[in-house]
């Protein structure tokens, strides 16, 4: 079975600073995808970034980047130049390749960006 | 572009009453469809998913059921709601294999 662990229930960061959210997962699969989703107070789930396990290069999307360590089964999200609009719950998710896109979500990290 | 609609946004129901939440997707055909529940301060629990009309897979035994009467329509139902059914329900869709899921705006369900 796949499990996804986010060990930081809540974090705070000052506006314009950098913050890293951690995520670890457990799987015996070799081909899979990892995602970070953002859920602002409006409760919408918004895809932030995705990483394919067979790619060694870390994914980046503007101010968002990941540190993917496949051997360590670690997938952290770095947010640079934090903005007030980044305040949200962040969920890490794992998906086995070719498995009907079934996701396994972590319990989430609540990020507060302070002015 | 593809859009997903989920309604109602908020629902307050008495214990023992029936439930019907609807989700529709536009702009794509034959999507995978999903229902999740999110309890307060917690992650998402997958309830049901569907890869085609009439095909429903249940992840956890519960008081709820799902149906997919049309290609882009996914319905979450219950005959008799329990207090424990309270939560935030999210519908999601994805294209076929190896694609991310896209979520609706959610339904906040409160059982009194």
């Amino acid at each position: 079975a796949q499990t996804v662990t986010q060990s930081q229930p809540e974090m705070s960061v000052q506006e314009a600073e950098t913050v890293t959210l951690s995520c670890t997962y457990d799987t015996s699969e070799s081909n899979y995808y990892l995602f970070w989703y953002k859920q602002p107070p409006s409760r919408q789930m918004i895809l932030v970034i995705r990483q394919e396990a067979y790619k060694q290069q870390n994914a980046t999307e503007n101010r968002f980047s990941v540190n993917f360590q496949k051997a360590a089964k670690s997938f952290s999200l770095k947010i640079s130049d934090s903005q007030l609009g980044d305040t949200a719950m962040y969920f890490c998710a794992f998906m086995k390749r070719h498995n009907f896109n079934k996701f396994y979500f972590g319990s989430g990290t609540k990020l507060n960006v302070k002015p | 572009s593809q859009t997903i609609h989920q309604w109602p946004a908020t629902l307050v129901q008495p214990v023992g009453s029936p439930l019907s939440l609807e989700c529709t997707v536009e702009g794509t055909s034959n999507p995978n469809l999903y229902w999740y529940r999110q309890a307060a301060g917690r992650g998402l629990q997958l309830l049901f998913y569907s890869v085609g009309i009439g095909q429903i897979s249940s992840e956890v035994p519960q008081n709820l059921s799902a149906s997919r009467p049309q290609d882009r329509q996914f319905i979450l139902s219950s005959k008799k709601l329990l207090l424990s059914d309270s939560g935030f329900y999210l519908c999601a869709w994805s294209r076929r294999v190896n694609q991310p899921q896209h979520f609706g705006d959610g339904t906040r369900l409160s059982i009194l």
Side-chain angles (χ1 to χ4, degrees):
Chain A
Q2 278 62 228
T3 57
V4 179
T5 302
Q6 293 178 251
S7 58
Q8 305 151 313
E10 189 164 356
M11 296 184 71
S12 294
V13 64
Q14 290 295 130
E15 195 175 8
E17 293 188 347
T18 296
V19 64
T20 298
L21 309 182
S22 65
C23 172
T24 58
Y25 57 94
D26 186 20
T27 184
S28 58
E29 302 287 326
S30 57
N31 292 321
Y32 50 87
Y33 293 81
L34 295 163
F35 303 86
W36 278 98
Y37 278 85
K38 167 185 177 181
Q39 188 180 43
S42 64
R43 303 302 294 271
Q44 285 182 307
M45 289 286 284
I46 303 165
L47 178 64
V48 175
I49 200 166
R50 64 180 282 181
Q51 174 80 41
E52 293 144 337
Y54 61 88
K55 288 187 177 180
Q56 292 186 343
Q57 186 174 6
N58 289 326
T60 62
E61 194 72 39
N62 300 317
R63 297 183 294 108
F64 298 88
S65 61
V66 298
N67 183 6
F68 174 47
Q69 302 289 328
K70 191 172 183 179
K73 296 180 182 175
S74 171
F75 183 60
S76 60
L77 175 70
K78 186 171 83 171
I79 306 174
S80 303
D81 186 24
S82 297
Q83 300 176 0
L84 295 178
D86 295 333
T87 292
M89 280 287 284
Y90 287 82
F91 292 98
C92 179
F94 168 98
M95 182 183 81
K96 286 193 291 185
R97 210 172 173 199
H98 300 301
N99 190 32
F100 304 114
N101 303 9
K102 181 177 175 180
F103 275 30
Y104 300 86
F105 283 91
S107 56
T109 295
K110 184 177 181 182
L111 177 66
N112 298 302
V113 180
K114 299 181 177 180
Chain B
S1 63
Q2 299 80 28
T3 56
I4 178 168
H5 302 281
Q6 187 180 342
W7 68 93
T10 305
L11 189 61
V12 181
Q13 291 283 97
V15 170
S17 64
L19 173 73
S20 181
L21 302 182
E22 190 162 343
C23 173
T24 59
V25 180
E26 296 178 358
T28 188
S29 59
N30 202 22
N32 289 344
L33 296 171
Y34 311 82
W35 277 111
Y36 288 89
R37 176 167 57 202
Q38 184 179 21
R42 299 179 67 179
L44 280 72
Q45 179 186 36
L46 179 63
L47 302 176
F48 301 95
Y49 67 93
S50 171
V51 299
I53 296 175
Q55 299 180 56
I56 309 294
S57 296
S58 174
E59 284 295 294
V60 293
Q62 58 203 311
N63 184 42
L64 302 168
S65 62
S67 61
R68 185 170 178 174
Q70 299 181 44
D71 180 44
R72 291 169 291 173
Q73 184 184 29
F74 205 25
I75 297 172
L76 183 69
S77 304
S78 174
K79 292 182 179 178
K80 283 187 176 182
L81 285 167
L82 306 172
L83 284 173
S84 58
D85 292 324
S86 291
F88 189 67
Y89 290 82
L90 283 158
C91 180
W93 77 273
S94 68
R95 287 195 179 91
R96 289 297 164 188
V97 182
N98 303 330
Q99 295 297 314
Q101 294 180 14
H102 304 277
F103 289 81
D105 290 342
T107 296
R108 186 179 304 280
L109 176 64
S110 299
I111 310 300
L112 303 179

